[in-house]
Amino acid sequence: MPKIVDHDERRLELVDATWRIIARMGIESATMREIATEAGFANGALKPYFPTKDTLLTFAFGHVFNRTNKRIAEVTAGLSGLAALRAFCIEVLPLDEERINEARIVIPFWQKAINDPGKAQIHRESMQQWLDTVRRHLAEARAGGEVSTAVDDESLAGQLLNMLLGAQIAAALLPEGQTELGLNGQLEGFLALLTSQPADR
């Protein structure tokens, strides 16, 4: 009998190989030949799955985003308010080698999105989903008395998302083997500011 090929599994193997290559060599060196070799495939075997590196990069971005969302759903189940917001942020922040490698996939995608309307739309929709989640948790926290700052939730959500995305850029530029950027402390500092009261005049 011919071997049954799991095409979805093959695609994910190629995505995993892609970010290993990007992590080691950078996006420009992540040729289809290098990716095929890393994944243990013949070079021509990639074309049925990803005709170009560009299509592979788009799929890889979607996979990273979906995988992050799956982690978020697991750790925020049953939580609300600041507890849910903290758990959300921890899953997005590049706090270990796996999430730093994810950032190294996301950043080349952003670079391509500057001149590619399709990729720009994917990015906007993804970030809108995260913004909506952050706004929801902030609203829960404010309703529960956990947030008392006079800064409005819309501004807070944008500030927090920009902090999370900036952390991915900083982490992607870390020397190999280094993972510490003090991000946990920065996150806790931001959350502490949410309970601050206006200074007496």
Side-chain angles (χ1 to χ4, degrees):
M1 275 181 74
K3 182 180 179 181
I4 297 174
V5 176
D6 186 330
H7 295 291
D8 289 337
E9 184 179 341
R10 280 281 181 91
R11 287 187 180 89
L12 295 182
E13 287 173 4
L14 291 169
V15 168
D16 287 340
T18 300
W19 68 41
R20 288 196 300 270
I21 290 289
I22 290 175
R24 287 204 310 267
M25 305 167 65
I27 184 64
E28 296 305 323
S29 298
T31 64
M32 296 298 273
R33 184 177 298 278
E34 289 284 355
I35 293 166
T37 300
E38 180 75 17
F41 293 2
N43 188 40
L46 271 65
K47 288 206 175 292
Y49 301 100
F50 303 108
T52 66
K53 186 168 76 171
D54 198 55
T55 58
L56 174 53
L57 185 61
T58 299
F59 183 88
F61 174 85
H63 175 58
V64 167
F65 184 70
N66 291 334
R67 189 159 81 165
T68 304
N69 284 341
K70 182 179 178 183
R71 293 197 307 259
I72 289 168
E74 290 170 353
V75 300
T76 60
L79 300 179
S80 64
L82 286 189
L85 186 62
R86 178 182 284 106
F88 168 89
C89 292
I90 288 171
E91 289 310 317
V92 175
L93 284 172
L95 296 174
D96 55 30
E97 195 63 37
E98 177 184 1
R99 282 172 283 182
I100 290 172
N101 284 339
E102 289 176 352
R104 290 179 174 134
I105 285 282
V106 169
I107 291 169
F109 179 86
W110 289 342
Q111 183 180 8
K112 295 277 189 180
I114 293 171
N115 298 308
D116 185 324
K119 289 183 178 59
Q121 180 66 24
I122 292 170
H123 169 74
R124 284 193 296 271
E125 291 173 356
S126 302
M127 294 306 98
Q128 187 61 52
Q129 183 178 335
W130 277 1
L131 267 177
D132 291 344
T133 299
V134 170
R135 288 192 195 103
R136 185 176 74 254
H137 293 322
L138 282 171
E140 293 165 351
R142 199 177 288 275
E146 295 179 285
V147 172
S148 55
T149 179
V151 180
D152 63 274
D153 288 355
E154 188 71 21
S155 297
L156 291 173
Q159 183 181 1
L160 182 56
L161 185 61
N162 287 336
M163 184 181 86
L164 297 174
L165 300 184
Q168 293 187 339
I169 295 171
L173 295 172
L174 282 172
E176 185 177 357
Q178 184 177 338
T179 60
E180 181 53 48
L181 276 168
L183 297 175
N184 274 314
Q186 293 168 31
L187 172 61
E188 291 305 318
F190 177 87
L191 295 178
L193 292 174
L194 301 184
T195 62
S196 64
Q197 300 288 345
D200 293 334
R201 294 180 181 270

